[in-house]
Amino acid sequence: MAYELYYWDGIQGRGEFVRLALEEAGAEYIDVARQSGHAMGTGAMLELMKSKHEPHIPFAPPFLKDGDLIVSHVANILFYLGPKLGLAPPDEKLRYVANGLQLTITDLVAEVHDTHHPIATSLYYADQKDEAKARSAAFIKERIPKFLGYFEQVLQQNPGGPTHIVGDKLSHVDLSLFQVIEGLRYAFPKAMKTYMSNYPGLTALRDTVGKRPNIAAYLRSDRRLAFNEDGIFRHYPELDLAP
Amino acid sequence: MAYELYYWDGIQGRGEFVRLALEEAGAEYIDVARQSGHAMGTGAMLELMKSKHEPHIPFAPPFLKDGDLIVSHVANILFYLGPKLGLAPPDEKLRYVANGLQLTITDLVAEVHDTHHPIATSLYYADQKDEAKARSAAFIKERIPKFLGYFEQVLQQNPGGPTHIVGDKLSHVDLSLFQVIEGLRYAFPKAMKTYMSNYPGLTALRDTVGKRPNIAAYLRSDRRLAFNEDGIFRHYPELDLAP
């Protein structure tokens, strides 16, 4: 049975981390909010979230339905799917290492979101622009190098070799790192142009993942939406400061 | 062998969610940064984080060392410890439900942190007080009821009964919900006084957890630090707005 992925239509957002894993593995899945028809579309997603009958409703998209089970949160979905898709380390202990790295990516993504929404998700960007500028400046100066420097060190110290972030073969964390680098390059091209040369391991990882046949085919397909200013990674020239 | 918990000394912070699980289970553990002696204290924690030899360094505390394995991030630690401490649902599928709920708590805790640090973690609270006021106002008005309303609904719809958030016995998520409610009551007493009557299930869960013998003994012990204004849940009267 196909996996059902539930995420907002029109943006890559957090759903993209799950899509990349499903696409790399060639798994059968339905991107529910992007389909039309019975029990499909955004309406069906919202209905499920508000359901009074579901035993375990999710707080927010993305979530994955596998038969009766609903699994919510990106890192949790990838922890669940990893072994099924051949994208988790075979050593069970390393799966907790992978999950720790995935959760560090989760934190980075939340900080990226808050660069354009530092005061309230319910307000427009235009209504928190000054605060967004201050938060972006700190994010670019302090947080990007802190996160990327960390991932580079983990890569370089990986006992399985610096081609992968954990173990000696591709995992969901490598795919997510690819997405984070692409997203940061879209949102903050000035800073990333300067920074990336400091991170040869991450640069190579990004290139390797982007060239994998299933990923490359997905990126060319119309299933891959473009980055845009409704998503998590947004390019606002006024926030794109030089580091 | 005793578990080693690594977390900043002097605050409950994110480490407290792990402590509550270890204390409830009566597990042997060393709170490394709070100890003195060889390979103990905050210095030992920082050294481990910067190690050039460790195969898998963590990004930030808290992290748990179990023999050679380092597990980082609260939800990951609790996912790992849950079955060992008898605090995870026996049904493996429900463990992913538990982890999804735990990660929703993680998100809530990150939002609580940003009520007093909306612009940058590197700046003092005093330097982002106006923005903190704006963010707190939105958090109190929109986010507290959204999160607590969600948890209340999950409790009430739990097929295992509304005494626990998942399954029909105590899990690490129940303990974490206790901590979140205590923290919110400390930080935002005005709002919580108004809100809690809307959430009878959560109120009962909080009372039940607080009375468990091991938890009650822990709360009375000097291992339980008081909430304070260096932690995640801070009480600043100017942010404690009526909802």
Side-chain angles (χ1 to χ4, degrees):
Chain A
M1 202 164 60
Y3 295 112
E4 290 178 18
L5 173 64
Y6 291 78
Y7 193 64
W8 305 112
D9 190 15
I11 59 170
Q12 292 184 16
R14 291 182 168 90
E16 198 66 12
F17 297 94
V18 183
R19 277 187 208 107
L20 284 170
L22 292 163
E23 293 280 348
E24 166 61 27
E28 218 185 310
Y29 73 100
I30 302 163
D31 210 332
V32 174
R34 291 191 189 161
Q35 308 297 316
S36 53
H38 176 66
M40 292 287 148
T42 301
M45 178 172 86
L46 296 174
E47 210 168 289
L48 201 155
M49 289 170 63
K50 288 180 295 186
S51 163
K52 303 274 184 219
H53 317 291
E54 276 293 332
H56 308 293
I57 52 168
F59 182 73
F63 53 93
L64 183 90
K65 213 163 172 291
D66 183 13
D68 281 345
L69 179 65
I70 295 175
V71 182
S72 66
H73 288 273
V74 169
N76 193 28
I77 297 169
L78 293 174
F79 205 178
Y80 175 78
L81 283 179
K84 298 179 201 295
L85 302 182
L87 289 171
D91 175 356
E92 214 193 321
K93 282 187 174 185
L94 282 188
R95 291 184 188 172
Y96 291 96
V97 174
N99 192 38
L101 291 163
Q102 191 71 49
L103 286 167
T104 304
I105 294 173
T106 298
D107 286 351
L108 169 53
V109 169
E111 291 195 25
V112 170
H113 171 271
D114 284 8
T115 59
H116 48 78
H117 277 76
I119 300 300
T121 305
S122 58
L123 291 174
Y124 290 110
Y125 163 63
D127 295 329
Q128 47 193 317
K129 218 167 170 173
D130 289 343
E131 297 89 342
K133 241 173 154 165
R135 178 136 187 173
S136 294
F139 178 76
I140 289 167
K141 191 170 159 225
E142 296 152 15
R143 303 302 284 172
I144 292 183
K146 177 152 178 153
F147 277 104
L148 297 190
Y150 166 75
F151 288 123
E152 180 72 22
Q153 191 185 344
V154 173
L155 265 180
Q156 299 301 342
Q157 287 180 213
N158 179 10
T163 312
H164 302 293
I165 192 85
V166 57
D168 57 5
K169 56 191 256 333
L170 186 82
S171 75
H172 57 83
V173 192
D174 295 316
L175 299 174
S176 292
L177 280 173
F178 165 83
Q179 176 66 8
V180 155
I181 295 167
E182 291 302 277
L184 288 173
R185 287 174 67 207
Y186 174 79
F188 304 108
K190 283 186 192 161
M192 289 299 281
K193 208 181 158 185
T194 305
Y195 282 145
M196 279 311 282
S197 59
N198 300 335
Y199 311 119
L202 286 173
T203 303
L205 183 148
R206 182 219 153 265
D207 293 346
T208 312
V209 168
K211 283 181 196 145
R212 293 185 68 89
N214 284 2
I215 296 295
Y218 168 63
L219 297 177
R220 283 192 307 270
S221 76
D222 55 11
R223 297 190 301 287
R224 171 80 165 186
L225 298 170
F227 285 108
N228 63 47
E229 281 56 57
D230 294 316
I232 306 270
F233 295 99
R234 302 187 184 186
H235 180 65
Y236 293 123
E238 62 275 21
L239 303 186
D240 178 25
L241 307 167
Chain B
M1 202 164 63
Y3 295 112
E4 290 178 18
L5 173 64
Y6 291 77
Y7 193 65
W8 306 112
D9 189 16
I11 60 170
Q12 292 186 15
R14 291 181 168 89
E16 197 66 13
F17 296 95
V18 182
R19 277 187 208 107
L20 284 170
L22 292 163
E23 293 281 347
E24 165 62 27
E28 219 185 309
Y29 74 101
I30 302 163
D31 210 333
V32 175
R34 291 190 190 162
Q35 308 298 317
S36 53
H38 176 67
M40 292 286 148
T42 301
M45 178 173 86
L46 295 174
E47 210 169 289
L48 202 155
M49 288 171 64
K50 288 180 295 187
S51 163
K52 303 274 185 220
H53 317 290
E54 276 292 333
H56 308 293
I57 53 168
F59 182 74
F63 52 93
L64 183 91
K65 211 161 174 291
D66 182 12
D68 281 346
L69 179 65
I70 295 176
V71 182
S72 65
H73 288 274
V74 170
N76 194 28
I77 297 169
L78 293 173
F79 204 178
Y80 175 78
L81 283 180
K84 298 180 201 294
L85 302 182
L87 289 171
D91 175 355
E92 215 193 321
K93 283 188 174 184
L94 282 188
R95 291 183 188 172
Y96 291 95
V97 174
N99 192 36
L101 291 163
Q102 191 69 50
L103 286 167
T104 304
I105 293 173
T106 298
D107 286 352
L108 169 53
V109 169
E111 292 195 25
V112 170
H113 170 270
D114 284 9
T115 58
H116 47 78
H117 277 77
I119 301 300
T121 306
S122 58
L123 291 175
Y124 290 109
Y125 164 64
D127 295 329
Q128 47 193 317
K129 218 167 169 172
D130 289 342
E131 296 89 342
K133 242 174 153 162
R135 179 136 185 171
S136 295
F139 178 77
I140 289 167
K141 191 169 160 226
E142 296 152 14
R143 304 300 285 172
I144 293 183
K146 176 151 180 156
F147 277 104
L148 296 190
Y150 166 73
F151 289 123
E152 180 72 22
Q153 191 184 343
V154 173
L155 265 181
Q156 299 301 342
Q157 287 180 212
N158 179 10
T163 312
H164 302 293
I165 192 84
V166 56
D168 57 6
K169 57 190 254 334
L170 186 81
S171 75
H172 56 84
V173 193
D174 295 316
L175 299 174
S176 293
L177 279 173
F178 165 83
Q179 176 66 8
V180 156
I181 294 167
E182 290 303 276
L184 288 173
R185 288 174 66 207
Y186 174 78
F188 305 109
K190 283 186 190 161
M192 289 299 281
K193 208 180 159 188
T194 306
Y195 283 146
M196 279 311 283
S197 59
N198 301 334
Y199 311 119
L202 286 174
T203 303
L205 181 148
R206 182 221 153 264
D207 293 345
T208 312
V209 169
K211 282 180 197 148
R212 292 186 69 88
N214 285 1
I215 295 295
Y218 168 63
L219 297 178
R220 282 191 309 268
S221 77
D222 54 12
R223 297 191 301 289
R224 170 80 166 187
L225 297 169
F227 286 107
N228 63 47
E229 281 56 56
D230 294 316
I232 306 269
F233 295 99
R234 302 185 184 187
H235 180 65
Y236 293 123
E238 62 274 21
L239 304 185
D240 178 26
L241 307 166

